[in-house]
Amino acid sequence: MAVETSRLDRFRAIGLSRAAFRRLAVLSVVMLFAIVSTGATVRLTASGLGCEHWPGCQAGNPFPASGFHSYIEFGNRMVAGLTIAVTLVVALGAFLTPGIGPRTQWLAGAVFLGTLVQAPLGAITVYLNLHPLIVLPHLLLSMLLLGGAVIVLLDALRLERGEGRPALPNELRRFVPLLPAACFGLLLSGAFATAAGPHSGGDEVARFGTLDVALVFHAASVAAFGLGLVFLLGYLAARRDSSPLALRGAAAVVLLTLIQMGLGELQYRTHLPWGLVLAHVAVSAAVWSGTVALASLIRRPLRAT
């Protein structure tokens, strides 16, 4: 036990600057955002079975032999491999950066492990012919990991800049975690709508449910999240002097949500072209990231500079 403790102490003695850890945390968020977008591209271009084997693309060949779909799927796997490497470096960096608390260390480690789990989950998805009930957790786990990486980044900023004193009332700070929960419900309903729609990842992939029914639940989720967001924006606007950063963050999330709603309406009226659906997915990841960041900053604000 003493030998293991000594090795751990020597490992931590390597050291990492707070600015370096913050840059690594930014890269982790960027990569996890990218993997959401590339994964959506695979699904929307019907490339989910472009590589029919795992980890190699073709039987006896790790690289795609030919074909647009194979290159799309293989490119997504390369991005996934880089993302695993980046989240591993961030997890190690959390133990090497002086002042990082156990919560951030464990969260960074969980983000890495979750990203690692995505690889076998992707293999199972391929072997089960992209069944929607396997594809759904694959996407939703990616969103949860993105949210976790955003919190790690904010913790890195708090370590670098300092944590401020909460300026908003306790009732708002107790309410605000409901907003990311409503946003995740929105993501869930959108994922079910995609599973019922024309973009299930391949021409022969089974659909799940019917699009009309799924859109009703999705619209209800949009309304729930939108009402909560509007309430929060009004609350912060009435107390703009207490937390101007939170007000600007809420306004940015509202703007992203309006763009998201506009894209959703446009893609529905133009019969779901895959390019617009991809933009819809990318903006949804931005709305989710912004909502998680906003809730975190309200509960634990950064020190004013």
Side-chain angles (χ1 to χ4, degrees):
M1 182 65 69
V3 173
E4 292 180 359
T5 302
S6 177
R7 288 176 178 173
L8 182 60
D9 290 340
R10 287 198 299 270
F11 174 72
R12 288 178 172 172
I14 296 172
L16 188 68
S17 72
R18 295 176 176 182
F21 181 71
R22 184 247 307 156
R23 287 191 287 268
L24 287 173
V26 170
L27 181 59
S28 175
V29 171
V30 170
M31 292 304 300
L32 284 163
F33 184 89
I35 197 63
V36 169
S37 300
T38 60
T41 303
V42 169
R43 185 179 182 88
L44 295 170
T45 58
S47 302
L49 297 176
C51 290
E52 298 180 354
H53 292 268
W54 190 92
C57 187
Q58 310 297 334
N61 184 5
F63 302 105
S66 62
F68 170 77
H69 297 307
S70 295
Y71 292 131
I72 293 292
E73 168 62 13
F74 188 74
N76 178 61
R77 292 186 184 185
M78 293 298 97
V79 174
L82 288 173
T83 305
I84 291 172
V86 169
T87 55
L88 172 59
V89 172
V90 172
L92 294 175
F95 286 91
L96 295 174
T97 305
I100 290 286
R103 190 198 77 144
T104 307
Q105 292 172 342
W106 283 108
L107 182 56
V111 170
F112 162 65
L113 290 176
T115 307
L116 189 62
V117 165
Q118 288 284 59
L121 184 58
I124 293 171
T125 302
V126 171
Y127 291 136
L128 292 181
N129 200 37
L130 305 185
H131 192 282
L133 293 183
I134 300 298
V135 175
L136 280 171
H138 199 42
L139 169 64
L140 296 175
L141 178 57
S142 295
M143 291 293 191
L144 286 174
L145 295 173
L146 176 59
V150 167
I151 294 176
V152 170
L153 172 58
L154 291 175
D155 284 348
L157 288 171
R158 291 185 186 101
L159 181 65
E160 196 174 18
R161 290 177 47 180
E163 185 171 345
R165 297 181 60 183
L168 295 168
N170 287 333
E171 61 266 21
L172 178 64
R173 295 171 63 221
R174 287 194 294 267
F175 157 80
V176 81
L178 296 176
L179 197 62
C183 188
F184 191 77
L186 179 59
L187 295 175
L188 178 62
S189 66
F192 272 105
T194 301
H199 300 297
S200 288
D203 295 334
E204 299 179 359
V205 176
R207 271 56 172 171
F208 186 80
T210 59
L211 182 59
D212 290 342
V213 173
L215 288 177
V216 171
F217 286 100
H218 187 53
S221 299
V222 172
F225 175 67
L227 287 173
L229 193 57
V230 168
F231 169 81
L232 178 62
L233 181 65
Y235 193 105
L236 293 173
R239 294 160 178 79
R240 62 179 63 87
D241 294 334
S242 299
S243 187
L245 179 61
L247 176 60
R248 290 195 296 269
V253 175
V254 168
L255 177 60
L256 285 171
T257 304
L258 290 174
I259 293 172
Q260 175 77 336
M261 293 170 65
L263 285 171
E265 180 68 18
L266 181 61
Q267 69 178 12
Y268 180 75
R269 293 185 178 278
T270 54
H271 307 291
L272 304 174
W274 76 264
L276 277 179
V277 180
L278 177 59
H280 192 63
V281 173
V283 177
S284 71
V287 170
W288 164 247
S289 301
T291 303
V292 170
L294 177 62
S296 180
L297 287 172
I298 289 175
R299 291 181 65 85
R300 297 176 59 206
L302 292 171
R303 180 181 295 171
T305 56

